[in-house]
Amino acid sequence: MDALRTVTRDIDTNSTKISARGVQVHYGDTHAIKDVDVDIKERSVTAFIGPSGCGKSTFLRCINRMNDTIDICRVTGDIRIDGDDIYDRSIDPVQLRARVGMVFQKPNPFPKSIYDNVAYGPKIHGLARSRAEMDEIVERSLRRGAIWDEVKDRLHAPGTGLSGGQQQRLCIARAVATDPEVLLMDEPCSALDPIATAQIEELIDTLREKYTVVIVTHSMQQAARVSQKTAFFHLGNLVEYGDTDDIFTNPKDRRTESYISGRIG
Amino acid sequence: MTDIPSGSGAVARTTMDKVHGSLARRHRKQLILQIFGITAISLAFLMLFILLASLITTGHKAFTQTEITLEVFIDPEEISVERLPRGNFTNVLAAAVAADLPSVDQQDRAEMRVVGGILSNGAQFQLRDRVVEEPELIGQTITISVPVSDPYDQLHKDLLDRETPENLRRLDDTQIAYYDRLVENGAIAASLNTGLLTNADSRFPELAGLKGAIMGSFWALLTCFLISFPLGIGAAIYLEEFAPKNKLSDFIEVNINNLAAVPSVVFGLLALSVFIGLFGLPRSAPFVGGLTLALMTMPTIIIATRAALKAVPPSIREAALGLGASKQQVVFGHVVPLAMPGILTGTIIGLAQALGETAPLLLIGMNAFITSAPATPFDSATALPTQIFIWADSPERGFVSRTSAAILVLLTFLIMMNAIAIYLRSKFERKW
C-alpha cells in the first residue's frame, strides 16, 4: 500500500479532541452502531472506512447530533469533545453545530449567491458586527476553501451555478466560516470527478493545520492519501482503529485485511 | 446456431429474430396509446371549443347596447330648479323622441306612452342626474344618448323576428314603424356596452350590469384570501415541519384530506347555521361568503403547501442544520422561501376554485336582488356565479345574452388567475 502514500503524516499533537465510549445507535429496530469506542486526535485527519451500510456515516452524524433530526433514531453512550459531553442536556445542538461543521456527500449550496452562502453561518450566529467584518470572514473562508481565486469576481453570482467540485469547495468554505473546531466530511468526493477530488484532498490536507477533520470515504486510496488515523467499520462494529499506515500495511483483524484487499465490500 | 432444435417451421430463431418479432407488437402498442392520447385531448379541446363558441355566439350581443341619441329640450314647465331632483323627466324625453316622429300627436297621452316606452326605464334617471349636476341646463336643448328598452334592443340585434304574427310579437307594427323611422333619422345606434361592467343589477336587462357581482366576488375573495392563506400556510408548516408524527397528526391529516372532498353545499349549510344563525353575521354579505369560501379553500392550500414543503430537497435542510441553524431558521429561512412558488400556485388555484363556487353562496343569501354595488364587505351583494344564476333564471329575453356575457366575464377572471399561477411557477422555479 506504500504506493498510495502521497502525504507524510505526522500527528501534530497527541491531545484527544473527540472521545466516544460505548456509543450505540438504533434506527427503530435496527441496531446500526454497536458499542463503538474511539479517540480522535486534534488537528489530524481521521478516516472512517468500511463497506456500504456499515454505520460509518451514522457514527459521523452522531458527532454533531445530526441524527437528532431523525425521529426514529436513538443514540446512547458517551461522546465528548474536549471533555464536554455533547449529549448533555445543557448542550444545545445548535451551539454544538457551530463548533462542529459538516460537509455532505452531495454538494448542497443554498440557491443564493456565493457570498450569502458563506455569510449564512456567521450571520445566524451573529459573528460579524459590520458589513466590513462580514466581507472579511467571507474572503477568509473562501480562501480556506481554496476557491477564492475562482469566485472573487462573482461573489454575487448564484452558488448553484458553479461546477460540482467548486460547489463542494464552496460548501467547505461555508462550513469553516463559523470557525468550527471539528470538520466532519461525509464522502465529500463521491459526486466529483478525479480532478475535483484531487483538489479537495489537497484542501483537506491543509485544513488539518487548523481543524480536526473526520472524513467518511468509500475509497481506500483516499483514506490512505489524506488521513493519519483510520477506523474500519463493519456491520456496525468498529473493527479496527489505528494509524493509517498500520491499518493498510499490517491489519490486525482478518475482516480488515479482507476489506482492504478487496474481498469484502 | 444451426443445431437449435426447430419446431414446425424448421427456422432457426436467434435472439435478434425474437427481438425483431416483438418490435412490431411493441410499436403497435405505442401507436394505440398515442391514438388514445390524441383522441382524448382532441375531445377535450372540442368540448372547450363548443362551450366557448356557444357562449360567444349568445353572449357577444350583450357586449353592445342599442342607444338612442336625442336632442332634449329641458322644458322649464316640466322641470324647475326648485323641485329638483323631482320633475317630469319622462315627459321631456318622450317629447324629444316624438319630435323625431312627425306622425305622433304629442297631445295623445296613450300614444306618448308608447313613444316613451322606446326608451329604457333608466333613461329618465340618466337625464335627471345630468340636470341635477348642472341645473343651468334647464331651458336649454342638450344632446344625450340613452339606452333603448329591451324589446327595441332585441329588435336592433335581430333577435326579434319581424315575421312573427303581430299578436305574438313583443312590438306591434306601429312600434316597429317608430323604430324604423328613428333608425332612418340616424338616432339609433349600437355602442360598446360599458354598463355591463359599470352598472349594478337591475330589473331591466338593458341597464343590468355586473359591477355589484364583481365587487361582491372581490370582497368575498379578499376575505377568503386573508383568512385561508395565513391559516392554511400556518397549519401546513406546523403539520409538515414541527408536529410530532403520531396517531393524532395522522388523524388530522386524514381529516384535512376529507375536508377537501366535502361537497360545497355542506359548507354553505354550515355557514348558514354558524355564521348567520349563531354569530348573527349579516345575510348576503360578501364577508360571510368569504368566510365560507375560506373553509373550502383552506384544505386545498394546506395540501398544496405541504406538497411544496415536501418537495424542498432534504439536502438544503441538512446544509442549514449542519451550520447550526435552528429548526425555525431552517423552515422560515430556507424551506418556506423555496416552497413559495408552489404555495402561491396552490393558493391561486384554490382561490380560482372559490371564485367559481356557487352553492354555498346561494345558501347564505348572496343571490338576492341588489341594485347597488357593495361599498364594504358587510353590504349585501351578489357574486359572479350567483349573478349568473339569477340572470339565467330571469324571464326577460335580454338576460339570455347577458347570462352568457357574465359567464364569459367569469371565465376571463378565472383564466387570468390561472395565468398568474403559471407565471409565478415558471418565474420562481429553481434548479438545485
Side-chain angles (χ1 to χ4, degrees):
Chain A
M1 288 314 263
D2 266 7
L4 295 169
R5 302 257 330 254
T6 57
V7 176
T8 50
R9 53 182 80 77
D10 304 299
I11 294 172
D12 298 355
T13 63
N14 275 325
S15 58
T16 298
K17 185 72 181 172
I18 305 165
S19 83
R21 290 290 175 272
V23 175
Q24 314 261 0
V25 179
H26 293 263
Y27 280 117
D29 296 333
T30 318
H31 197 173
I33 295 284
K34 296 162 190 161
D35 199 20
V36 168
D37 295 353
V38 70
D39 284 321
I40 291 168
K41 300 283 175 223
E42 194 171 10
R43 290 171 207 254
S44 68
V45 178
T46 303
F48 291 173
I49 61 169
S52 297
C54 67
K56 53 193 191 299
S57 285
T58 302
F59 184 69
L60 187 78
R61 292 164 67 96
C62 291
I63 302 173
N64 68 345
R65 294 185 57 176
M66 279 298 271
N67 287 331
D68 289 14
T69 59
I70 301 163
D71 285 340
I72 56 164
C73 186
R74 207 153 39 80
V75 180
T76 54
D78 188 53
I79 301 177
R80 290 172 185 275
I81 295 179
D82 289 340
D84 304 331
D85 180 2
I86 61 166
Y87 281 87
D88 190 83
R89 217 175 286 210
S90 66
I91 297 277
D92 187 340
V94 165
Q95 197 189 344
L96 173 70
R97 288 176 201 143
R99 208 171 151 197
V100 183
M102 187 159 189
V103 175
F104 296 86
Q105 189 168 359
K106 222 183 99 201
N108 55 357
F110 299 127
K112 298 180 178 198
S113 72
I114 293 166
Y115 184 97
D116 289 342
N117 262 283
V118 180
Y120 182 71
K123 200 173 79 191
I124 57 172
H125 297 299
L127 301 184
R129 268 164 310 192
S130 65
R131 180 82 196 181
E133 210 173 326
M134 184 62 91
D135 289 348
E136 200 190 305
I137 291 175
V138 170
E139 181 176 343
R140 190 176 63 219
S141 307
L142 287 169
R143 281 192 195 281
R144 277 196 197 140
I147 191 176
W148 171 253
D149 289 332
E150 288 157 72
V151 300
K152 64 182 176 208
D153 300 325
R154 46 172 174 152
L155 289 176
H156 296 282
T160 42
L162 299 171
S163 75
Q166 288 174 324
Q167 286 189 16
Q168 195 61 299
R169 278 180 285 147
L170 173 63
C171 292
I172 294 172
R174 183 175 66 184
V176 299
T178 53
D179 227 1
E181 298 156 27
V182 178
L183 201 54
L184 307 176
M185 296 183 152
D186 190 358
E187 298 182 40
C189 301
S190 65
L192 304 180
D193 64 52
I195 292 170
T197 302
Q199 287 171 326
I200 302 272
E201 285 178 3
E202 207 176 305
L203 172 59
I204 291 169
D205 200 54
T206 62
L207 288 173
R208 84 180 152 97
E209 290 168 12
K210 235 179 133 3
Y211 309 104
T212 304
V213 179
V214 184
I215 176 171
V216 163
T217 177
H218 262 301
S219 155
M220 284 175 283
Q221 287 86 340
Q222 186 171 65
R225 282 194 296 263
V226 301
S227 69
Q228 286 80 50
K229 287 269 197 179
T230 296
F232 171 64
F233 285 81
H234 186 57
L235 302 175
N237 297 302
L238 177 61
V239 175
E240 195 167 346
Y241 176 55
D243 288 347
T244 303
D245 279 344
D246 293 341
I247 296 277
F248 281 103
T249 53
N250 190 15
K252 290 180 184 63
D253 194 282
R254 199 175 40 77
R255 289 169 292 178
T256 317
E257 195 189 348
S258 301
Y259 182 68
I260 60 175
S261 57
R263 282 198 292 273
I264 55 173
Chain B
M1 285 288 180
T2 47
D3 56 346
I4 285 177
S6 50
S8 55
V11 180
R13 297 211 347 134
T14 63
T15 309
M16 282 323 289
D17 284 335
K18 288 181 192 166
V19 170
H20 192 75
S22 73
L23 266 185
R25 185 165 43 80
R26 282 189 271 176
H27 284 166
R28 201 166 54 241
K29 277 193 175 164
Q30 182 153 352
L31 186 70
I32 290 171
L33 190 69
Q34 270 176 345
I35 290 172
F36 263 121
I38 291 168
T39 316
I41 289 173
S42 312
L43 270 177
F45 266 101
L46 184 71
M47 292 302 169
L48 185 68
F49 176 77
I50 292 172
L51 171 76
L52 285 179
S54 80
L55 283 174
I56 289 169
T57 42
T58 50
H60 81 275
K61 298 214 158 150
F63 288 106
T64 61
Q65 173 63 45
T66 316
E67 294 199 324
I68 181 165
T69 309
L70 296 169
E71 299 278 317
V72 185
F73 171 61
I74 304 183
D75 191 345
E77 289 187 12
E78 303 274 14
I79 298 156
S80 63
V81 186
E82 297 80 50
R83 292 182 59 233
L84 280 179
R86 272 183 286 173
N88 212 332
F89 294 95
T90 327
N91 286 3
V92 170
L93 282 166
V97 183
D100 272 358
L101 301 167
S103 63
V104 176
D105 173 9
Q106 295 218 19
Q107 303 311 313
D108 185 338
R109 300 188 68 170
E111 214 172 342
M112 284 305 283
R113 241 200 319 278
V114 176
V115 169
I118 296 175
L119 304 180
S120 159
N121 223 316
Q124 49 172 320
F125 304 119
Q126 278 189 22
L127 181 64
R128 183 194 66 191
D129 293 347
R130 179 122 176 231
V131 174
V132 168
E133 213 171 284
E134 302 174 65
E136 63 274 16
L137 291 177
I138 294 171
Q140 295 182 26
T141 302
I142 60 165
T143 310
I144 187 172
S145 285
V146 293
V148 300
S149 64
D150 187 44
Y152 293 93
D153 187 40
Q154 302 289 319
L155 181 66
H156 194 74
K157 290 171 178 168
D158 295 323
L159 292 169
L160 197 98
D161 191 358
R162 288 166 188 256
E163 306 304 316
T164 320
E166 192 178 358
N167 57 343
L168 297 176
R169 236 190 281 138
R170 290 173 70 200
L171 296 176
D172 60 26
D173 289 344
T174 337
Q175 287 171 313
I176 289 182
Y178 289 162
Y179 164 80
D180 288 341
R181 176 71 212 220
L182 288 167
V183 171
E184 236 171 80
N185 292 352
I188 289 185
S191 63
L192 189 68
N193 185 7
T194 50
L196 186 68
L197 295 178
T198 57
N199 291 354
D201 197 13
S202 163
R203 263 180 309 133
F204 307 104
E206 70 273 12
L207 295 176
L210 290 168
K211 189 180 175 194
I214 290 173
M215 288 312 292
S217 275
F218 171 77
W219 287 125
L221 278 192
L222 188 70
T223 311
C224 171
F225 173 76
L226 290 180
I227 289 167
S228 62
F229 187 69
L231 282 182
I233 291 188
I237 290 173
Y238 178 74
L239 285 173
E240 194 57 40
E241 303 287 341
F242 296 101
K245 301 276 173 284
N246 54 25
K247 287 238 166 66
L248 181 68
S249 62
D250 284 350
F251 177 75
I252 292 173
E253 175 159 6
V254 168
N255 276 289
I256 287 171
N257 291 340
N258 279 342
L259 219 52
V262 169
S264 56
V265 67
V266 176
F267 285 105
L269 283 169
L270 175 79
L272 180 63
S273 64
V274 176
F275 297 146
I276 295 177
L278 203 64
F279 298 161
L281 289 171
R283 218 174 270 257
S284 307
F287 178 72
V288 180
L291 286 178
T292 317
L293 295 175
L295 291 177
M296 302 183 47
T297 312
M298 209 143 46
T300 314
I301 293 181
I302 292 176
I303 291 168
T305 304
R306 293 188 70 178
L309 292 174
K310 259 191 206 129
V312 174
S315 65
I316 296 291
R317 295 165 201 267
E318 286 201 321
L321 279 174
L323 285 170
S326 66
K327 180 85 187 165
Q328 176 265 335
Q329 284 171 323
V330 173
V331 170
F332 290 96
H334 296 277
V335 179
V336 172
L338 291 174
M340 217 47 185
I343 294 174
L344 288 179
T345 311
T347 305
I348 293 172
I349 288 172
L351 287 178
Q353 221 175 347
L355 175 65
E357 202 55 69
T358 324
L361 301 185
L362 294 180
L363 282 161
I364 59 156
M366 284 190 76
N367 57 339
F369 175 69
I370 291 143
T371 55
S372 61
T376 72
F378 300 96
D379 298 336
S380 293
T382 56
L384 276 169
T386 49
Q387 190 66 60
I388 291 167
F389 179 81
I390 299 167
W391 283 358
D393 230 19
S394 299
E396 286 87 354
R397 290 277 315 174
F399 280 121
V400 175
S401 56
R402 277 181 196 251
T403 306
S404 298
I407 294 171
L408 286 173
V409 170
L410 177 63
L411 286 181
T412 310
F413 280 115
L414 287 176
I415 289 168
M416 270 161 50
M417 291 176 81
N418 286 331
I420 292 171
I422 290 169
Y423 170 76
L424 286 177
R425 190 162 43 197
S426 62
K427 182 165 190 255
F428 292 110
E429 207 159 53
R430 290 182 193 261
K431 292 172 185 74
W432 330 99

